[in-house]
Amino acid sequence: MNGARRTTAMFAIVLGVLIAATGAFVTLFLLERSAAAEVGGQVTVAEQELGDARDRLAHNRSTVDELADGEQALTGTNDALRACADPTKASIDAVKAGDDKALSDAIDQMLLHCGR
């Protein structure tokens, strides 16, 4: 009978070790599942922030395009005003010098470039 008790005790010890190992594995599984859920939440937040950043980038690109169009329009206006300013200055210089021919030429250029 001594051998049967010894075998029963060994089985009890092995069963205890297996139950403890099962408990440890269940605990580790639950901890990892919790950590995975936390990481999943962080990924969701990061994806949302990335989407927001993409939206801001698209808005900024649109603004840059609008500003470039505005710059081009202003450059055209500036060029037109300069084309008008040069003959206007020439007409003032011609009046100061009393040069009727230069004044006439300057007025012709003013009419051509400055509009009516």
Side-chain angles (χ1 to χ4, degrees):
M1 250 181 87
N2 197 7
R5 283 187 175 186
R6 183 177 258 190
T7 303
T8 303
M10 288 297 278
F11 281 132
I13 291 172
V14 170
L15 181 61
V17 169
L18 289 175
I19 289 174
T22 301
F25 282 119
V26 167
T27 301
L28 289 174
F29 174 76
L30 293 175
L31 289 174
E32 287 303 313
R33 187 170 69 176
S34 173
E38 184 178 333
V39 168
Q42 291 173 349
V43 167
T44 301
V45 169
E47 287 174 343
Q48 184 177 3
E49 289 174 351
L50 181 59
D52 292 345
R54 285 182 180 150
D55 291 344
R56 285 191 308 272
L57 180 60
H59 174 72
N60 289 343
R61 284 182 178 162
S62 174
T63 301
V64 167
D65 291 342
E66 289 173 12
L67 290 173
D69 291 344
E71 178 189 20
Q72 188 176 14
L74 289 174
T75 299
T77 301
N78 187 35
D79 291 344
L81 290 174
R82 285 181 189 255
C84 179
D86 290 339
T88 303
K89 289 177 187 176
S91 68
I92 293 171
D93 291 342
V95 168
K96 288 180 181 177
D99 186 349
D100 291 337
K101 170 74 172 115
L103 178 60
S104 177
D105 291 342
I107 290 175
D108 288 342
Q109 289 297 311
M110 284 174 54
L111 291 174
L112 178 68
H113 294 289
C114 297
R116 294 177 188 219

